[in-house]
Amino acid sequence: MGDGKKILFINRRGPYGTIYAQEALEVALVGAVFDQKISLAFIDDGVFLLRPGQSTVGLQMKQFTAAYRALGDFEIHRVYVERESLQVRGMKEENLMEIVTGPDGGTRNLVKVVSSVELMDVIHSQDVLLND
Amino acid sequence: MLHTVNKSPFEKDSLNTCFRLARPGSDVLLIEDAVYAALAGSCFEPAMSEALARYSVFVLKADLEARGIDSGDLISGVRAVDYSGFVDLAVKNDTVQSWL
Amino acid sequence: MSLEYKGRTLETDKDGFLQDMSEWSPEIAEHMAALDDLALGEDHWEVINYIREYYEDYRIAPAVRILIKVMGRRLGRDKGGSRYLYRLFPHGPAKQACRYAGLPKPTGCV
């Protein structure tokens, strides 16, 4: 358990327009199953990934962003959203889906809105950075 | 002419380029990630409001729904259309320019 | 690959997972299990139904460790343990149960 690397997945694109965010999420979940210390950051258009109320019936695509709500099951407990990216896009904190830890870890919301300065510290404390 | 744009205005300049080069009176249809340009309250709203004075701006409903955007979240004046509305716009206009 | 069932040909991947989830029915699950010499009982169905619900909620099929954890939470420790699940699905609970459930291969399963 102790020798997992600290890996930050940086999501900077929205869902469905490209496949990148979906692939990054799958890699993050696999990494978590293999005991890596995974964190996720949502920056720029990446903040749109966490917008609730998505329905892909019309697009006939898989609504892969539902899996973000399972992050707690995968022991991924560090989810950061950059406040500056939200503001520029007319998004508020309440426009983000909640990701709860689940009954084992209480029902704390894992989604943490942070400033650029706070995110800078997160980025600089990682072993590996992966970009979508 | 119908102009379609499919890139987020926060990522790429396609929509600004469209607004710079489309003749007033044109139809502009936002699809895929370009629908984020119609979200009220963003830093892109002033540019969109200005464009609405010159163009008819449409957004594709399926792309809004996929992204969790309701009609109430849109800048007023932007109209949502379904796929058949998309076809109508394409039929009504002789030429389609896709700003990718 | 494919699976023959009542005169129909269902497309599968190389490990026998259905390509088109919408073709699934409980009878197909029973049929797949019978081909593995396994009769599905209530306990098997509890797991299969739970996995299908999980997929409905999150659009992912849980890997075995995740399955053990969430099943334990949901059904109590005696039913969530890995020994219990391996006894029900000897080929590996996540893979085998997901296949019977008509879902894709579990995420994080290599």
Side-chain angles (χ1 to χ4, degrees), chain A residues 12-18 45 48-49 51-56 58-59 87-91, chain B residues 8-11 32-33 36 39-44 62-63 65-70 73 83:
Chain A
R12 296 184 52 231
R13 301 184 215 224
Y16 316 119
T18 60
D45 276 5
F48 289 135
L49 291 164
R51 219 180 143 86
Q54 299 175 28
S55 164
T56 52
L59 290 190
Q87 285 166 348
V88 167
R89 286 164 183 76
M91 293 258 291
Chain B
S8 162
F10 309 108
E11 266 196 338
E32 299 172 32
D33 284 344
Y36 289 126
L39 206 50
S42 85
C43 66
F44 200 79
D63 282 315
E65 288 166 358
R67 290 164 180 76
I69 303 172
D70 304 330
D73 300 326
Y83 285 112

Side-chain angles (χ1 to χ4, degrees), chain A residues 3 5 10 21 35 53 74 77 80 82 87-88 103 105 110 113 123:
Chain A
D3 52 6
K5 281 202 157 62
I10 299 178
D35 285 332
F74 283 77
H77 293 145
Y80 305 99
E82 191 199 25
Q87 285 166 348
V88 167
L110 301 175
V113 176
I123 290 171

